[in-house]
Amino acid sequence: MALNLNSIGKKIGPFTKEYTWKDPVLYALGVGAGFSDLEYCYEKDLKVLPSFGIVTLYDFMPDLAALSNVNLAGILHGEQELIFHRPIPPEGALITAGAITHIYDKGPGKGALIVAEFETKHSGGQKLFSSRVTVFARLDGGFGGEDAPRTPAFMPDRPPDFEIPAAPSADQPLIYRLSGDTFALHVDAEFARMAGFARPIMHGLCTHGYACRALIQQLIPGAPEQARRLANRFRSPLLPGSPIKTLIWKGAPGQAFWRVVQADTGEVIIDNGIFEYGEAPRDEIRFDGRAAIVTGAGAGLGRVYALELAKRGARVVVNDLGGARDGSGAGSVKAADRVVEEIQALGGEAVASYDSVSTPEGGEAIVHRALAAFGRLDILINNAGILRDKTLVKMDPSDWEAVRAVHLDGAFYVTGPALRHMKEKKYGRIILTTSAAGLYGNFGQSNYSAAKMGLVGLMNTLKLEGEKYGIQVNTVAPIAATRLTEDILPPDLFEQLQPEFVAPLVLYLCSEKCPVSGAVYNAGRGFFNRAAVVAGPGALVSDGQTIPTPELLADRLPDLLKMDGAREFYNATEALGAMLTGPAPQAEAAPAAGSAITVAAVFERLPQVFRADQAGGVDVVFQFRIAGPAGGDWFAVIRDGACAVTAGAHEKPTTTIKMAAEDFLNLMSGKLPAMQAYTTGKLKIEGDLMKSQLIEKLFKF
Ligand code: NAI
């Protein structure tokens, strides 16, 4: 029976595994702990060995096997990765859910690989760890699918820094199996003989637990809570009673490579081990498991984005054609290669791409590089850029076209194929790079300014097209010391504008934590602000029947130019609506300060200012928790184009909005823009962050 390729993306779980302190202790004993590391074995001040997380595997493996339809006679545990977010508490329940993410074909007779990813939360609600498991399906290859991306060799070619010996007992599997893996191969002599072994063999994950203990003992003694990531590939079976050694190589700070060998023969049992450790900053933004493309990453800003993403766990395609500043020349592979080497030296994962963004084929190839190397694409940073500065009177069409081709066409050529993939996966973060020259103008840069402002237009529409697929698009206008600015900026200012100051914003916008889509930011030297297209209140100079004269408009020019009370529009329809209705009378647009409007009155009015025309397909419950004496709880249920508001708390809100009463009144009256409220912490959002963006659209006071 063939593998079920439709199983990709189907949810597995949630499974709940209740446990008491005895379970992590039993596991620790199973992987050789004892009086030498009593903290894993004694309920007084018990610490849970982080590799205990793998016990959840035994819950989801049967479903994974059934769903994928794998031939059970041929399965082996190929690779294992655990990313630890928090220490595992000594008791409670582990709640695990995930999905098969890939099925790769190694070819006829060579087997297939089934990759699944899971997340485990504690019954207390905290996310504890993520796991990624690769099952080698020996008998299921040759169905014509894509092969898995090759893992570049990364184990150091030098003697290890540490060798930690251990002697699992001949009876070790009998203890280990009590943690969940009761497969007969590890206990039943006859079964083991039928499977081709002299006697029952060790569980690979038992040896894995020995290695985890050895790594902690050597690198973070007494502090298992500092383990951050444990990844490896299983190589060969091991017979119980055979002595082993965990070989450890130190890598970049907080990182080590490891391998387990049979101590007598040197045979490799577990290979390609990576261990990351160190204090985890609370709520650190990480990109583990994500794959990113950074275009123009061979130098300047792009290089820093690529390095920073990789340091935080992303796998990165470093794209750069390595050309001259004006885009001339054949290009050189060196620019991208150097940055890939830098990332690898830090223990990160990266591959180079030398294609130009400025052709459709180039764009396709860059995206293909990510999918072929990493099997996924979550983040795209459109950053490649060139300059050909000239005033318009001196500008040749070739200067215009070359600049447009890299910045504007290039973003289209790479974003198109990336977006198609992200839409399928229902997740994506896209960054476009604009410039102050585009937003505000700069003498001698008409080609560049036009292309850069074109990118803002691209974002405005992509924000709408990506919305329902979890794809967010934001735009950055950086200012940084790079070869593009070395002869433009004064030298002392140049010194102070390291690209590293821009990268934190770009990383945040690329993260799961960022709820914002469709915004433009200026960023440089530690200063950040949002730039936006706004429209003034304007003036209605005609009754809609009489065509106004130019003379009348000349008279009314001050009114046309007025920007007091300027506002943004979410999309063109909204802007058109505002034009057709004309300027709102001031009193209605914003309740005057000190007016008698109350929070309760706002909620009373909510159904009247609800815009049913904007609510097609919307099904949400907004819970409002307004703090302060004038506050309270209200919830709005929006369903089937209608809005019902009730005082109190809803059982299962989609999104919860928390604000102080005064801020809330300012927000609803348009005095406090939602984005500003959010970024200044006045507006706190829980639950589905994306849905909160609907509020501005659904209600118009
Ligand atoms: P940079 O010149 O150091 O880096 C740009 C990189 O893009 C170069 O390595 C170049 O080889 C690569 N590239 C050029 N054409 C390419 C193509 N067709 N395909 C693939 N790669 C290509 O410049 P910098 O300053 O790091 O610029 C990055 C982005 O930031 C650009 O989009 C630029 O317009 C923008 N920007 C930079 C500002 C600054 O102050 N540095 C100001 C405003 C915008």
Side-chain angles (χ1 to χ4, degrees), residues 150-329:
R150 298 263 162 269
T151 313
F154 60 84
M155 292 300 285
D157 188 15
R158 59 182 164 87
D161 298 310
F162 311 104
E163 295 191 8
I164 315 290
S169 110
D171 300 323
Q172 204 68 44
L174 300 180
I175 310 176
Y176 181 80
R177 66 193 296 271
L178 300 179
S179 286
D181 185 351
T182 50
F183 189 29
L185 181 63
H186 307 288
V187 62
D188 188 317
E190 200 178 327
F191 188 99
R193 264 195 303 279
M194 268 163 36
F197 297 102
R199 54 196 167 90
I201 60 170
M202 288 276 281
H203 301 73
L205 281 169
C206 176
T207 314
H208 170 269
Y210 270 85
C212 182
R213 280 180 46 235
L215 288 156
I216 292 172
Q217 177 198 324
Q218 185 59 49
L219 300 167
I220 40 172
E225 64 280 5
Q226 289 190 17
R228 306 278 302 280
R229 178 175 171 229
L230 184 68
N232 62 281
R233 177 175 292 175
F234 295 98
R235 275 263 185 257
S236 319
L238 178 73
L239 289 175
S242 311
I244 55 171
K245 276 194 288 191
T246 302
L247 312 182
I248 304 174
W249 290 261
K250 288 195 92 169
Q255 187 197 47
F257 303 101
W258 60 278
R259 176 178 281 154
V260 177
V261 296
Q262 211 277 21
D264 297 332
T265 61
E267 186 187 10
V268 177
I269 309 300
I270 302 183
D271 204 3
N272 284 14
I274 298 177
F275 181 59
E276 289 174 5
Y277 55 97
E279 300 241 8
R282 272 179 66 75
D283 296 328
E284 186 188 11
I285 289 179
R286 300 276 315 166
F287 299 95
D288 305 289
R290 299 261 178 231
I293 293 174
V294 185
T295 70
L301 286 155
R303 169 183 161 271
V304 177
Y305 302 154
L307 278 165
E308 294 303 319
L309 281 170
K311 279 188 209 162
R312 287 170 183 259
R315 290 168 283 174
V316 185
V317 174
V318 176
N319 160 262
D320 205 302
L321 98 170
R325 179 174 123 146
D326 66 358
S328 62

Side-chain angles (χ1 to χ4, degrees), residues 287-293 315 370-371 374-380 418 421-422 425 427-430 470-472 510:
F287 299 95
D288 305 289
R290 299 261 178 231
I293 293 174
R315 290 168 283 174
L371 299 180
F374 308 133
R376 62 189 298 151
L377 175 61
D378 308 281
I379 296 164
L380 165 63
H421 173 79
M422 289 172 175
K425 301 288 170 196
Y427 181 85
R429 295 286 184 267
I430 298 173
I471 300 169
Q472 291 177 196
C510 289

Side-chain angles (χ1 to χ4, degrees), residues 43-130:
E43 66 273 26
K44 184 162 168 264
D45 299 330
L46 182 70
K47 290 193 170 184
V48 176
L49 199 56
S51 53
F52 173 66
I54 56 85
V55 301
T56 55
L57 191 80
Y58 308 126
D59 287 332
F60 59 73
M61 279 310 266
D63 278 36
L64 184 150
L67 196 62
S68 64
N69 211 19
V70 63
N71 184 339
L72 290 175
I75 59 171
L76 291 172
H77 195 168
E79 290 182 351
Q80 174 66 46
E81 178 174 7
L82 285 166
I83 294 164
F84 309 109
H85 308 298
R86 281 186 182 76
I88 303 175
E91 57 191 14
L94 300 174
I95 300 150
T96 305
I100 294 174
T101 53
H102 300 93
I103 298 184
Y104 295 114
D105 185 9
K106 300 189 75 61
K110 294 186 184 160
L113 295 177
I114 304 168
V115 184
E117 292 178 3
F118 293 87
E119 249 183 35
T120 299
K121 288 188 179 156
H122 189 253
S123 38
Q126 315 94 313
K127 185 162 128 180
L128 293 181
F129 54 87
S130 312

Side-chain angles (χ1 to χ4, degrees), residues 429 463 466-472 514-517 570 622 655 685 687-695:
R429 295 286 184 267
K463 147 194 103 178
E467 199 173 19
K468 70 172 179 207
Y469 303 107
I471 300 169
Q472 291 177 196
C514 175
V516 182
S517 188
Y570 183 69
F622 292 120
T655 305
I685 301 170
D688 190 333
L689 292 171
M690 290 298 291
K691 293 274 168 30
S692 67
Q693 296 189 10
L694 289 171
I695 292 181

